[in-house]
Amino acid sequence: MFGRTYDSLVMVTSSQSGKTDGVLDVIGQRLEQRPVPMLYVGPSKEWFTQSQFEMRLTRMLTTAPGLKDRTATGKRTKQWRKMVGGVPVGLAWAGSPSQLRGMSAGIAFLDELDAFGPAALQEGDPFSLLEARGASYRDRIRAAISTPLKGTVDIVIDEASGLELWQQMPPEDIESPIWRLWQGGTRHHFTWQCPHCAEWFVPRFKCLRWPEGATAADAKRKAYVECPRNGCVIEESHKREMNVRGRYVAPGQRSDADGNVTGDPPDSTTLSMWASGLCSPMVTFGERAASYITAHVSGDQKQLQAIINTGFGELFAPGDGDVPEWEEIKAL
């Protein structure tokens, strides 16, 4: 889908969307078919890197048919450094400069960048530090993957496609590190084709619908997605096929009825992609709606932010909402 013209990848999406599984897939594929030293950096030692990623990585290396016989065991392997066919896979975490400086890597991953604490920033921008780790490799790749945090972002109609895309905003309006990186790249959006009118659109929180005044339980049963082009009702049963046919489209590009994407994306060495949490195959439209209603009723801004960030993969602005046009205010 994308030519090899990029040296960086930025992916923004919700939780429970297979981000970490994607990282493991890339590590396994490269170790088996085109080995290169790799480095994975998680947000914390105790929780994410040790209890989550390291455990899953070990399971993959010791069970995958093409890797298990080549994976070093016993004293030849360590918790933070796996050896497969003599090729190292290093694990590091935020706030561990010695780990980050400890090895060179042709491919380096930053997982959940927005969860990195202040200690991780004392040594400089973590994404920039990864660039130095790959200096020895001509075809190096660095990737940052995360759900976003706070920021104010608008929607703009793209002239080429007619799609509603996230507008590129001033950096001072964006608190989220991953979103700032995403803005500096190609800004690809994952799009769905409506199963009824066949129009392409960008799924996002504002497309989610439920009966007015519904409780969380009622919304869980009755929520659906409304096609922003023609108001078509899209049910959960349509999601799998829409995901299969879905296409990434950047500003300046368009998709035809058969899903062929044409046009040039913004000129950048960073391939950046955003996908809505509505696309997650593991969480239903109803579950997303119920979580939002529960958080909204609680009045807890932190809980609401967590739903918008991790549930939908979107930025959260406290007090955010639809602002009326000036004519509406004047009429009052």
Side-chain angles (χ1 to χ4, degrees):
M1 178 172 63
F2 302 108
R4 180 64 174 87
T5 59
Y6 306 104
D7 58 21
S8 300
L9 168 68
V10 174
M11 180 70 197
V12 184
T13 189
S14 69
S15 62
Q16 298 176 301
S17 293
K19 299 190 299 299
T20 303
D21 284 337
V23 172
L24 289 167
D25 288 342
V26 172
I27 291 175
Q29 185 268 338
R30 286 301 300 265
L31 286 173
E32 184 172 359
Q33 300 180 16
R34 192 181 170 196
V36 64
M38 286 176 272
L39 175 65
Y40 169 90
V41 185
S44 69
K45 175 182 178 181
E46 294 78 10
W47 171 245
F48 205 93
T49 305
Q50 184 173 1
S51 302
Q52 296 293 316
F53 189 81
E54 192 272 339
M55 178 178 64
R56 295 167 68 177
L57 174 64
T58 299
R59 183 166 61 242
M60 179 187 75
L61 296 178
T62 54
T63 58
L67 300 174
K68 62 181 181 180
D69 293 335
R70 297 163 51 209
T71 299
T73 58
K75 294 181 179 180
R76 293 181 296 166
T77 189
K78 299 180 181 179
Q79 187 174 22
W80 308 122
R81 188 180 178 91
K82 312 297 182 184
M83 298 295 293
V84 182
V87 177
V89 179
L91 305 182
W93 54 90
S96 60
S98 61
Q99 293 288 112
L100 287 175
R101 291 193 295 260
M103 67 172 287
S104 297
I107 300 178
F109 306 91
L110 279 181
D111 204 352
E112 291 299 347
L113 174 60
D114 277 22
F116 282 37
L121 305 178
Q122 293 178 3
E123 295 289 320
D125 171 38
F127 200 55
S128 297
L129 291 175
L130 287 193
E131 186 174 19
R133 296 302 91 220
S136 302
Y137 300 89
R138 183 174 179 82
D139 59 348
R140 60 187 176 273
I141 291 287
R142 55 176 178 163
I145 308 165
S146 184
T147 55
L149 290 178
K150 294 180 181 179
T152 301
V153 63
D154 297 326
I155 291 173
V156 63
I157 304 297
D158 183 64
E159 293 182 2
S161 63
L163 293 170
E164 294 183 337
L165 305 183
W166 295 119
Q167 186 174 5
Q168 199 169 18
M169 303 296 288
E172 58 267 22
D173 291 346
I174 307 298
E175 184 177 325
S176 166
I178 193 69
W179 200 277
R180 289 198 297 267
L181 288 176
W182 180 82
Q183 286 196 154
T186 56
R187 290 180 287 141
H188 280 83
H189 296 60
F190 189 69
T191 62
W192 275 343
Q193 187 176 35
C194 177
H196 306 295
C197 68
E199 293 284 352
W200 291 91
F201 69 97
V202 178
R204 51 170 56 91
F205 169 67
K206 77 169 195 171
C207 299
L208 189 60
R209 297 285 185 269
W210 55 84
E212 185 176 356
T215 63
D218 195 30
K220 186 175 182 178
R221 293 187 294 267
K222 300 177 181 178
Y224 61 94
V225 165
E226 182 179 87
C227 168
R229 293 297 187 99
N230 293 300
C232 308
V233 174
I234 301 173
E235 304 286 355
E236 180 69 29
S237 58
H238 296 119
K239 182 192 293 184
R240 184 179 184 279
E241 182 61 25
M242 288 193 299
N243 278 342
V244 170
R245 292 182 53 79
R247 295 291 186 270
Y248 276 102
V249 179
Q253 295 185 310
R254 67 183 67 188
S255 297
D256 64 19
D258 295 323
N260 299 308
V261 179
T262 56
D264 296 323
D267 187 24
S268 177
T269 59
T270 297
L271 173 63
S272 60
M273 299 182 289
W274 176 84
S276 171
L278 290 174
C279 304
S280 172
M282 293 171 275
V283 186
T284 67
F285 298 156
E287 289 169 335
R288 294 293 192 207
S291 296
Y292 175 80
I293 290 175
T294 300
H296 183 71
V297 171
S298 74
D300 186 336
Q301 288 287 292
K302 290 185 178 180
Q303 186 178 348
L304 192 60
Q305 176 185 344
I307 297 302
I308 296 298
N309 292 161
T310 64
F312 296 93
E314 300 183 19
L315 290 173
F316 177 78
D320 195 16
D322 292 330
V323 179
E325 298 293 336
W326 70 267
E327 294 92 344
E328 298 178 53
I329 298 174
K330 182 181 177 181
L332 298 176

